[in-house]
Amino acid sequence: MAYVNNIKMFVRVFELGSMSAAARDQRTSPAVASARIAELEKHLGVRLFNRTTRRLQPTENGRLFYEGARKVLEAIDDAEAAVMASTRNLRGTVFVAAPLGVGRRFIAPHVPEFKDEYPQIDVRLRLSDRKIDVIGEGLDMAFHLGLLEDSTLKMRLVAECPRILCAAPAYVAARGDPADGEALVQGRHDCLNLRFPGAPEFQWTLVTPEGPRRYEVAGPFETDDGDVLTGWALDGRGIVMKPIFEVAEYLRDGRLVPVAHATPPVPVQLSCLTQHRRLRDPKIRVFTDFIVAKCREELARAMDGLALPG
């Protein structure tokens, strides 16, 4: 088993390009990660990485070994999955990521229930509104809220999610209700933007009579946490674009009101992204089926009876 662990560490170091990042991924220390790579190099009799003070680059031998090592680990995963499926003895760990709002509302509350039903499956849930690299971060799956770019991952659609532009009544009283995207820009309205490091200049894509159109918006506040944006909107600090399910309770009680009714935002998709090979793992399938069903129930409940303009 020690040799397999050494191979796992090598694969993660290769994929992440960092000994410390691989150590965090494997939940161990950089010293242990370095020792495992050294053991593997001693066993093979070749150097797998060239090390400098700043960079870690795979050697040609390292690149050759990676292809075979990855196949070995995939074969082990497949063999374990086949045994678990045949005995219905599902066990192991599921690594999953989700946006903050989706994770807090629709996934985290149901993880304990899943654990009760499958006591030998552990769940490691990461919540972040930043862009997630499913393969690079060693995740089994990631829930994605947005317009999906081209991807090599397997996508399972959870739901179409309409979005809305909204603000607190105090903001509308002070600044007015822009009729559409053009009025939003021309009136220099304070727009509350979700942005994380490396994100491009922000634009809102709205539906106009001529079709979707991008509007360059600006405002005094930005953050990488969607719930913080909602808090600023509730405080009357500007206009926010949100999936309706995230602000449904505030729309119902009047703490937020719709604006720019003539040009609503383009809807987004809530989807579950999975590496193709991981779909063969029965514990991944049962977790995905369980959480997707719960998400759909919660989304329907959030939208039930909500009266909106248009």
Side-chain angles (χ1 to χ4, degrees), residues 250-281:
Y250 308 122
L251 294 168
R252 284 193 177 93
D253 64 23
R255 282 185 283 173
L256 292 176
V257 296
V259 299
H261 308 149
T263 52
V266 171
V268 292
Q269 293 179 332
L270 176 60
S271 53
C272 181
L273 307 179
T274 314
Q275 298 186 52
H276 283 266
R277 67 181 181 85
R278 300 286 176 92
L279 291 173
R280 299 194 295 269
D281 189 328

Side-chain angles (χ1 to χ4, degrees), residues 8-84:
K8 287 181 179 179
M9 183 61 71
F10 163 76
V11 167
R12 294 310 285 151
V13 171
F14 186 100
E15 292 173 341
L16 297 175
S18 164
M19 199 76 72
S20 59
R24 288 194 300 270
D25 180 80
Q26 296 295 297
R27 287 162 178 75
T28 189
S29 67
V32 169
S34 181
R36 287 181 179 174
I37 298 300
E39 287 179 11
L40 191 57
E41 290 179 326
K42 182 178 180 181
H43 174 81
L44 295 171
V46 297
R47 182 175 292 278
L48 298 173
F49 295 101
N50 288 320
R51 300 165 178 82
T52 68
T53 55
R54 291 193 170 191
R55 304 183 67 184
L56 191 68
Q57 289 286 348
T59 63
E60 187 60 33
N61 285 323
R63 296 181 190 280
L64 289 172
F65 187 69
Y66 171 75
E67 294 303 322
R70 186 169 53 82
K71 292 176 182 177
V72 167
L73 295 181
E74 289 178 4
I76 292 173
D77 288 343
D78 289 346
E80 290 179 346
V83 171
M84 286 191 290

